[in-house]
Amino acid sequence: MLHILYIIAIIAEAMTAALSAGRRDMDWVGVCIIAWVTALGGGTVRNILFNHYPMSWVEHPEYLLITAGAAILAAFIASVMTKLKKLFLYLDALGLVVFTIIGCQIAQQINLPTTIVLLSGMITGCAGGVLRDVLCNDIPLLFHKEIYASASIVTGAAYLGFEYIGISPGIAIVLACAIGLALRLLSIRYKWQMPKFVYHEEWH
């Protein structure tokens, strides 16, 4: 189930990334690169940081084809996607929680401490979007006041908490995803925001 959700998530992330590339007038190569970075970048950053190889897209090169195909499709149906913006926001939220759980599991497999397991989940869930925004010259969503990284941390904490109290891994995954997804979607629906720091005083 988690693998199927992962495939759905990388397709959705690649398609929305293609629109970001299109807004910057990128060519087809640029569109595909932005799609790869967004959909697969979080796991890549995690693996580099924790020296965990091979990369998912090296072990499964079909992920590159799937995401590139999704990005090119998005370029052709961009006007339709605009009308389905809410659906893709939901799919992005799904991708966030699925990537987070996978990131936590990878860190657990290599016996990292609990704090690093949570960090691994957040990196996997959020780093791809940060790389996309940086390459597209946008302020990363992670650094905005939206509840995004915090939703990832809540998802990872819930997953670890459920496992700690003896709930089976499958049920723990479902419950943690449901909690993280609910938090992210409710924050979109009701425009919940994290506190922000505003400072305008010049130091020179």
Side-chain angles (χ1 to χ4, degrees):
M1 180 190 69
L2 196 61
H3 184 257
I4 293 172
L5 291 176
Y6 175 78
I7 297 298
I8 294 172
I10 62 172
I11 289 172
E13 296 288 347
M15 293 181 76
T16 55
L19 299 188
S20 295
R23 284 192 289 269
R24 297 301 180 185
D25 301 326
M26 295 188 186
D27 61 18
W28 291 107
V29 174
V31 168
C32 289
I33 289 174
I34 295 299
W36 290 332
V37 165
T38 306
L40 305 171
T44 299
V45 171
R46 176 205 64 224
N47 286 358
I48 291 172
L49 287 174
F50 301 138
N51 197 33
H52 183 265
Y53 299 99
M55 301 294 182
S56 63
W57 48 270
V58 173
E59 191 172 13
H60 300 281
E62 63 270 20
Y63 293 167
L64 295 173
L65 298 176
I66 291 170
T67 48
I72 292 171
L73 173 63
F76 283 107
I77 63 168
S79 58
V80 176
M81 285 183 62
T82 301
K83 298 175 184 177
L84 299 174
K85 184 177 179 180
K86 187 170 290 188
L87 171 62
F88 279 92
L89 280 174
Y90 293 162
L91 290 175
D92 178 75
L94 176 65
L96 175 66
V97 298
V98 169
F99 292 161
T100 296
I101 295 295
I102 291 173
C104 289
Q105 290 181 331
I106 294 295
Q108 286 178 313
Q109 289 171 12
I110 53 180
N111 300 314
L112 294 175
T114 301
T115 303
I116 306 304
V117 171
L118 287 173
L119 181 62
S120 174
M122 188 183 73
I123 290 171
T124 309
C126 303
V130 172
L131 292 173
R132 173 202 62 211
D133 293 339
V134 169
L135 291 174
C136 292
N137 200 30
D138 294 322
I139 298 175
L141 179 65
L142 182 66
F143 303 148
H144 283 284
K145 54 196 179 221
E146 284 196 36
I147 294 177
Y148 198 82
S150 49
S152 174
I153 292 172
V154 167
T155 302
Y159 170 67
L160 294 178
F162 289 133
E163 277 202 331
Y164 181 77
I165 63 176
I167 294 177
S168 66
I171 296 175
I173 290 171
V174 172
L175 292 176
C177 284
I179 290 171
L181 194 59
L183 176 59
R184 177 63 183 145
L185 294 182
L186 286 170
S187 71
I188 294 172
R189 173 67 178 82
Y190 295 106
K191 296 180 170 52
W192 292 345
Q193 299 178 349
M194 295 291 288
K196 61 180 180 178
F197 175 58
V198 179
Y199 184 78
H200 300 296
E201 191 72 28
E202 296 290 342
W203 277 49
H204 55 78

